[in-house]
Amino acid sequence: MRMHRWAAVLPVAALTALVVIAEEKKLTYPTTKKGDVVEDYHGTKVPDPYRWLEDDVRKSKDVADWVEAENKVTNAFLESIPEREAIKKRITTLWNYERISAPGKHGGKYFFSKNNGLQNQSALYVQDALDGEARMLLDPNSWSKDGTVALAGTAVTDDAKYMAYGKAVAGSDWNTWHVLDVASGKPLDDELKWIKFSGASWTLDNKGFFYSRFPEPQAGAAFQSLNKNMAMYYHKLGAPQSDDELIYKMPEHPEWGVNGSVTEDGKYLVIFISDGTTSRKSRLAYKDLSKPDTKPVDLVPNHENKFNLLGNDGPIFYFLSDFKAPKYQVVAIDIKNPEPKDWKTIVPEAKETLDSADLVGNQFICSYLQDAKTKVKVFDMKGTALHDVQLPGIGTAAGFGGKKSDLETFYTFLSFTTPPAVYRYDVPTGKSTLLRSPKVKFNPADYEVKQVFYASKDGTKVPMFLSFKKGMKLDGTNPTLLYGYGGFNISLTPAFSISRLQWMEMGGVLAVANLRGGGEYGDDWHRAGTKNRKQNVFDDFIAAAEHLIAEKYTSSKKLAIQGGSNGGLLVGACMTQRPDLFGACLPAVGVMDMLRFQKFTAGRYWTDDYGSSDNSDEFNFLAKYSPYHNLKPGTQYPPTMITTADTDDRVVPGHSFKFAARIQECQAGSAPVLIRIETKAGHGAGKPTSKAIEEVADQWAFLVKTLDFKPTIPE
C-alpha cells in the first residue's frame, strides 16, 4: 500500500503477565481494561471497548504499559521454543551474502546500493565506469547506532553534480531531505522537513528541485493525524526551506495529492494531481520552465484515468495509461492539441497487463504480466514491435530505467529460487549481459517451483505459485505457508526472499496466491476485489487453502497463513470467517478496524479500495468483515502471532493492539494468540537487518511450535 480502528476492569498500570508453559494449558494474558465507548454508525450502535489502545504509545503510559506486558508474554512463549536459536543462527548465515542493486546512470556515472551481507542498511556507491572503482557516497549505518535511520529516496542532477536524498527515522513515512555534493561527498546545508509520499525532481540548471510536502503537524500529532493539504514547492539550493516557492496547492481539495517531474529536456514540469486515494487517478498539468512567471496549464482536468510519464519529444508527452485500456497502453499527448480525441495510441493494450514501461534509447521497453510472470517487449517510437528481451527464466524482471538518449539500461531478474541477478541491456543490439550474480549458500536445483490455477467460490480461476523441495510427498502432512495480499492494484510476482528460502529448507511448502484486488490481470481484476466486492479477495484466499488441502500438499492443522498491511487485513478477515481452516495465522501490520482506518495518517487514501464507514451503504459491508468487529467470544481461533511496530505511521499500531486485546478476550481454546510489538520500527520500509532477522526467526519458531513439525536446520 503502498498507503489505518464496557465497564472498566483493572487499570493498565496493574497489568501482569504469567505464562504457563505447559502446552495443554491456555496462556494467561495481560488483563486489558475495557472502556464504554459505543459509536453510532448511521443508526447502528457499535461497541469499541478498546478504543483507548489507539492512543500514541509514545505519549500514553497506559498504552506503553500494555505493550510491555504483551511483549513479556510473547517473548516468554518464543523463548520456550527449543528450535528458535538454531533457526536464527541458520537464517543469519543465509542472510549473509553480498547484495548489489541495478545501477542508475546519471551524468555518465553509475549509482547503486550495496549491502555486504549483515549490514543493517545498504550503503550508496558511485563509480565512473562499470569496471571502475566504486566510491561510497552515503552510509546510513553511520546515521544511528541501531540502524534505525534509513535512506528513503534519492534524486541526482542530470550532470551528477548534486544528489538530493531523504532520511527516514524508525520506519516513519516522514522524511527529511538533504543535498550532497557528489564529487566531494560532503553534505550541503539544505534541510527540508515534513515530506511524505514525495520524491525530488531537479531543474536542468542544478539551481534547485521540485518536491511536495504537508504542513507541519500540530505538536505531538505527527504520527497519527491525517495528512491533508499537500502542496508542491520549488527549493532553491542553499536557501532555507521557509523561502521555498509555492508552485501548486489545492486548498479547496485538502485531500488531493500533488507531485511533479521535470522532463528530460528540462523544459517542462509535469504535475500530477491525485484524487487522494491510492488509485492514483490523476489530473495533469504542466508548467513551461522556460517561462518561469507563467502559471501551470491544465492538461487533463479530471480524475478518470491513471498516467505515468515516460518521457517527451518536445511538446509531445508519452504516458503509460489506462485510458480506454484496463490493461494499460502507451499514449502520446501533444500539449498543442490536448483534447482526448487527439491523443495517439503508440503501444496498444494487449492480452497481458502492461505493468510498466520506460523510454530508453528512443525505444519503449514494456514489461507485461503473463499470469503474474514478467514478459518484456520492445517497441520503437512509432509503436512498431521490435523484439522481446530474452530473460533467463520464469520470474520477475525489474528496472530498465534511463533516459531517452541512453544506449544502455539495467535490470534485475529474480524468482522464488533465483537470487536477484543484475543485467546490462544494450539498447541498439537488444542483448543482455550478466553483470552481477549473488552467491547464496543454497542450491536452487534442490527446489521446485510451479504455478497452478484453482477455482474460487464463484468459479473464478485464480493463479498460485508453489515452491518446495524436490521429491516432497503429497500426503497431507507438509507444513505450508500461504501468503496473499489482494489489494491496491499490487501484483505478487515471483520474488526471492531469504526468509522464504529458509522456510522451504526447513521442509515447508510456500504458496503465493494472486488474489483479486491485485493488478495481475489489469484494472478489472483489481476492481473485482474492492469495496462491496472485497469479499471476493477473502473467498479467493480461502479457496487457495482448500485447494492445498484437497491436493494433499497439507492439512488444516499444518497450514499457516501470512500477510502484511492490506495482507494483514486479509489474514484477519479469513481467520475470523474460517477459524477451522488454518493451523496458524501471522497477520502483520494489518488494517484490523475497518470502521475507523480513514481517521488516521494515510488511511484516507484507502477509501477507493475499501470504501468508508462515513457512508451508510459502505458501512454495511465493511462491518461484515472488519476483523476487530467480527471476533466472537467463545470461539477457538487458530494459534496467532500478530506483528506490528510502535512507530508505524502508515497502519497505526492501534489496529493490531485492539485486535490482539479482543482476540485474547474471545479465545476459547488453548491455542496461543500473541502480539509481537517491535520498537523503533515502522510499517516495514528501512527495517534494519538485525530486526528483520529477529522477526523472521520468531515467526518461524512460532510456526514450528504451533504446526508441530520437526524442521530441517543445517548447521
Side-chain angles (χ1 to χ4, degrees):
M1 243 136 126
R2 281 176 164 12
M3 316 218 197
H4 286 70
R5 331 165 190 21
W6 291 302
V9 189
L10 296 176
V12 179
L15 296 179
T16 59
L18 173 64
V19 179
V20 182
I21 299 299
E23 184 175 344
E24 68 275 6
K25 294 184 179 180
K26 185 176 181 179
L27 293 175
T28 300
Y29 304 106
T31 302
T32 306
K33 72 177 181 179
K34 298 175 69 175
D36 57 4
V37 174
V38 177
E39 194 83 35
D40 188 324
Y41 292 95
H42 316 287
T44 299
K45 300 291 196 300
V46 180
D48 191 359
Y50 299 113
R51 176 75 62 88
W52 65 274
L53 284 171
E54 293 177 353
D55 292 346
D56 191 337
V57 67
R58 291 164 291 255
K59 298 164 58 180
S60 169
K61 185 178 186 303
D62 280 357
V63 177
D65 288 345
W66 181 88
V67 166
E68 182 180 4
E70 289 287 349
N71 273 339
K72 283 182 180 178
V73 174
T74 301
N75 290 337
F77 181 88
L78 294 171
E79 288 167 3
S80 74
I81 302 171
E83 297 87 353
R84 184 190 188 203
E85 282 306 310
I87 290 171
K88 180 181 175 183
K89 181 180 178 181
R90 176 57 180 167
I91 196 170
T92 301
T93 298
L94 289 171
W95 211 297
N96 191 14
Y97 73 98
E98 186 179 70
R99 301 180 293 283
I100 302 178
S101 72
K105 188 178 180 181
H106 305 276
K109 300 180 185 296
Y110 300 88
F111 296 77
F112 63 93
S113 64
K114 183 177 76 169
N115 191 305
N116 292 334
L118 295 177
Q119 290 176 291
N120 275 322
Q121 302 289 342
S122 296
L124 187 69
Y125 291 79
V126 64
Q127 56 189 156
D128 294 330
L130 285 178
D131 57 355
E133 184 178 351
R135 171 171 60 93
M136 184 188 292
L137 272 182
L138 291 173
D139 181 13
N141 298 289
S142 66
W143 296 345
S144 63
K145 291 183 179 180
D146 58 4
T148 56
V149 181
L151 182 63
T154 62
V156 183
T157 57
D158 188 62
D159 61 359
K161 183 176 182 180
Y162 299 115
M163 180 180 71
Y165 63 98
K167 285 184 178 182
V169 178
S172 173
D173 281 335
W174 289 116
N175 300 159
T176 301
W177 279 71
H178 307 266
V179 178
L180 188 78
D181 180 283
V182 173
S184 67
K186 294 181 179 179
L188 306 185
D189 293 334
D190 304 70
E191 182 181 73
L192 309 180
K193 297 182 177 181
W194 306 117
I195 299 174
K196 182 185 285 195
F197 314 136
S198 172
S201 190
W202 288 88
T203 51
L204 207 57
D205 58 12
N206 291 357
K207 291 183 178 180
F209 55 83
F210 298 94
Y211 72 101
S212 297
R213 66 175 171 87
F214 293 93
E216 181 176 351
Q218 293 182 353
F223 296 100
Q224 287 201 318
S225 61
L226 284 170
N227 307 134
K228 292 186 176 182
N229 295 300
M230 192 180 200
M232 180 187 293
Y233 292 84
Y234 173 70
H235 173 71
K236 187 176 181 180
L237 201 59
Q241 187 175 17
S242 57
D243 288 351
D244 288 353
E245 177 187 357
L246 176 65
I247 301 298
Y248 203 95
K249 67 176 181 177
M250 307 145 294
E252 69 279 15
H253 298 290
E255 294 187 345
W256 288 6
V258 60
N259 284 279
S261 179
V262 177
T263 54
E264 186 178 326
D265 58 11
K267 186 173 182 181
Y268 301 100
L269 170 68
V270 181
I271 302 170
F272 300 83
I273 305 100
S274 70
D275 61 0
T277 71
T278 46
S279 70
R280 296 302 182 207
K281 290 187 175 182
S282 297
R283 294 172 180 248
L284 295 178
Y286 67 92
K287 180 178 172 62
D288 188 337
L289 297 179
S290 67
K291 302 174 182 177
D293 295 329
T294 59
K295 294 182 178 181
V297 177
D298 285 339
L299 183 59
V300 178
N302 58 58
H303 283 126
E304 294 178 1
N305 294 105
K306 303 173 188 177
F307 295 91
N308 181 27
L309 180 67
L310 306 181
N312 73 304
D313 192 357
I316 300 175
F317 295 169
Y318 298 99
F319 296 97
L320 174 67
S321 178
D322 64 348
F323 173 70
K324 294 184 178 181
K327 293 187 177 180
Y328 300 89
Q329 63 176 339
V330 176
V331 297
I333 302 178
D334 187 338
I335 62 175
K336 295 179 180 178
N337 298 288
E339 293 299 317
K341 64 181 179 61
D342 295 316
W343 298 0
K344 289 183 171 58
T345 295
I346 305 299
V347 179
E349 182 182 27
K351 180 181 178 181
E352 298 88 4
T353 300
L354 179 52
D355 187 52
S356 64
D358 294 272
L359 178 54
V360 182
N362 289 311
Q363 295 179 8
F364 292 104
I365 303 176
C366 297
S367 295
Y368 293 87
L369 291 179
Q370 188 174 47
D371 292 327
K373 306 178 291 289
T374 302
K375 179 180 180 180
V376 182
K377 302 180 76 66
V378 181
F379 302 84
D380 67 16
M381 295 286 290
K382 294 181 180 179
T384 302
L386 299 178
H387 55 261
D388 292 358
V389 176
Q390 298 304 310
L391 300 177
I394 295 174
T396 301
F400 299 105
K403 298 182 180 299
K404 184 170 173 285
S405 57
D406 285 344
L407 298 181
E408 64 178 349
T409 185
F410 304 88
Y411 67 92
T412 300
F413 180 83
L414 65 163
S415 74
F416 291 109
T417 57
T418 305
V422 177
Y423 290 82
R424 178 187 179 273
Y425 176 75
D426 186 78
V427 178
T429 65
K431 292 183 179 180
S432 295
T433 304
L434 178 64
L435 210 61
R436 303 182 182 102
S437 181
K439 302 295 187 293
V440 183
K441 297 175 183 178
F442 87 112
N443 182 10
D446 293 341
Y447 299 88
E448 179 179 348
V449 179
K450 66 179 183 177
Q451 187 178 42
V452 300
F453 292 81
Y454 64 91
S456 188
K457 183 178 180 180
D458 63 359
T460 299
K461 293 293 183 183
V462 181
M464 177 166 56
F465 292 105
L466 300 175
S467 307
F468 46 84
K469 280 184 179 178
K470 288 181 178 177
M472 184 191 71
K473 295 181 180 179
L474 299 184
D475 57 7
T477 65
N478 303 297
T480 298
L481 181 66
L482 172 60
Y483 181 88
Y485 187 80
F488 299 98
N489 204 40
I490 292 173
S491 303
L492 297 186
T493 59
F496 183 79
S497 162
I498 285 294
S499 61
R500 290 173 170 180
L501 170 63
Q502 185 185 27
W503 173 256
M504 294 186 289
E505 183 184 71
M506 290 195 306
V509 177
L510 172 68
V512 178
N514 298 106
L515 316 173
R516 280 175 284 186
E520 288 87 349
Y521 296 104
D523 197 56
D524 291 343
W525 188 258
H526 169 218
R527 292 297 168 193
T530 62
K531 292 193 174 180
N532 63 341
R533 296 190 284 179
K534 186 69 175 177
Q535 184 59 41
N536 286 336
V537 184
F538 312 139
D539 290 342
D540 289 356
F541 203 53
I542 289 168
E546 293 173 334
H547 177 85
L548 291 167
I549 294 168
E551 296 298 315
K552 298 192 180 301
Y553 285 95
T554 191
S555 60
S556 286
K557 66 180 181 179
K558 297 290 187 182
L559 174 61
I561 55 174
Q562 182 186 42
S565 195
N566 175 73
L569 159 64
L570 170 71
V571 173
C574 290
M575 65 181 285
T576 54
Q577 292 181 16
R578 288 294 306 277
D580 61 303
L581 188 58
F582 312 111
C585 301
L586 295 175
V589 293
V591 191
M592 299 304 199
D593 184 341
M594 297 307 297
L595 303 185
R596 286 176 58 77
F597 71 86
Q598 74 277 16
K599 300 184 181 297
F600 297 90
T601 58
R604 65 175 179 80
Y605 290 107
W606 312 329
T607 57
D608 185 61
D609 246 54
Y610 294 151
S612 170
S613 63
D614 297 334
N615 179 298
S616 59
D617 292 336
E618 294 175 342
F619 160 76
N620 289 327
F621 60 71
L622 288 167
K624 287 181 180 178
Y625 73 77
S626 177
Y628 170 61
H629 298 94
N630 282 279
L631 290 164
K632 296 178 176 59
T635 302
Q636 293 189 23
Y637 289 103
T640 299
M641 186 166 73
I642 304 155
T643 50
T644 189
D646 60 357
T647 55
D648 187 348
D649 54 2
R650 180 80 59 85
V651 182
V652 294
H655 280 279
S656 293
F657 293 174
K658 290 167 64 174
F659 185 74
R662 179 63 174 161
I663 193 173
Q664 288 175 353
E665 176 191 1
C666 293
Q667 178 67 311
S670 61
V673 284
L674 307 170
I675 181 168
R676 183 188 188 278
I677 304 156
E678 186 63 83
T679 58
K680 295 182 70 176
H683 197 60
K687 181 175 290 186
T689 296
S690 57
K691 286 183 180 290
I693 288 174
E694 289 277 359
E695 182 177 44
V696 171
D698 286 350
Q699 289 174 325
W700 290 173
F702 182 81
L703 294 186
V704 165
K705 172 78 170 179
T706 56
L707 297 183
D708 189 24
F709 73 97
K710 184 68 176 175
T712 300
I713 307 175
E715 290 292 334

